[in-house]
Amino acid sequence: MVGIVGFIVDSATLTVLVSIFQASPYVIRVCSYVAAASTTWALNRIITFRRVRGKVKKTQEWLRFLSANAPGALLNYLVFAVTVYLFQLKTQRLWIAVGMGSLSGLFLNFNLTKAFVFKEREKP
């Protein structure tokens, strides 16, 4: 469910910002990814990993989340860019490339998040 919300935020942000600014989807995708990643961090913190979230400051946890998900973000972006380029997707169809990219990084990001951001604390 968290991933679906992230996909919606990513796709909607990308579509709206590309339409408003008439800018390259390759550039705007960085902004839409950060918006989606921030949303999924917050939802994972509140829902998915609520029992194991650390006592660290939220800003530190968010930065750790973005760092842990960097490999998945890179894979996500590469698949997105190749999909947009190969299929010459225009503004209203960019969600297809976002979906392809998101699916490519899904399992990697979840496992990195579980291992490095919301890892279970050892019991005394």
Side-chain angles (χ1 to χ4, degrees):
M1 297 303 285
V2 169
I4 291 170
V5 173
F7 167 75
I8 292 168
V9 168
D10 200 344
S11 297
T13 303
L14 180 68
T15 301
V16 168
L17 292 180
V18 167
S19 295
I20 290 173
F21 296 110
Q22 298 297 307
S24 166
Y26 301 107
V27 174
I28 298 295
R29 180 68 202 286
V30 175
C31 298
S32 70
Y33 176 82
V34 172
S38 297
T39 300
T40 58
W41 163 75
L43 292 174
N44 276 321
R45 185 173 207 288
I46 294 166
I47 300 167
T48 310
F49 299 108
R50 70 181 171 274
R51 292 191 178 124
V52 295
R53 65 180 180 226
K55 298 287 184 194
V56 299
K57 292 181 181 178
K58 290 179 185 176
T59 305
Q60 290 174 327
E61 189 179 79
W62 176 72
L63 290 171
R64 187 181 309 153
F65 181 83
L66 292 178
S67 297
N69 285 275
L74 179 60
L75 177 61
N76 182 329
Y77 184 84
L78 290 172
V79 171
F80 166 81
V82 168
T83 303
V84 170
Y85 178 77
L86 287 178
F87 297 100
Q88 295 296 301
L89 297 176
K90 303 299 178 207
T91 304
Q92 299 307 316
R93 300 242 194 275
L94 290 173
W95 66 269
I96 296 168
V98 171
M100 298 293 288
S102 297
L103 286 173
S104 68
L106 175 73
F107 295 107
L108 181 59
N109 282 347
F110 178 79
N111 287 311
L112 290 170
T113 295
K114 187 175 179 180
F116 296 108
V117 182
F118 297 111
K119 59 186 170 191
E120 298 228 19
R121 288 173 274 159
E122 293 181 22
K123 297 183 181 183

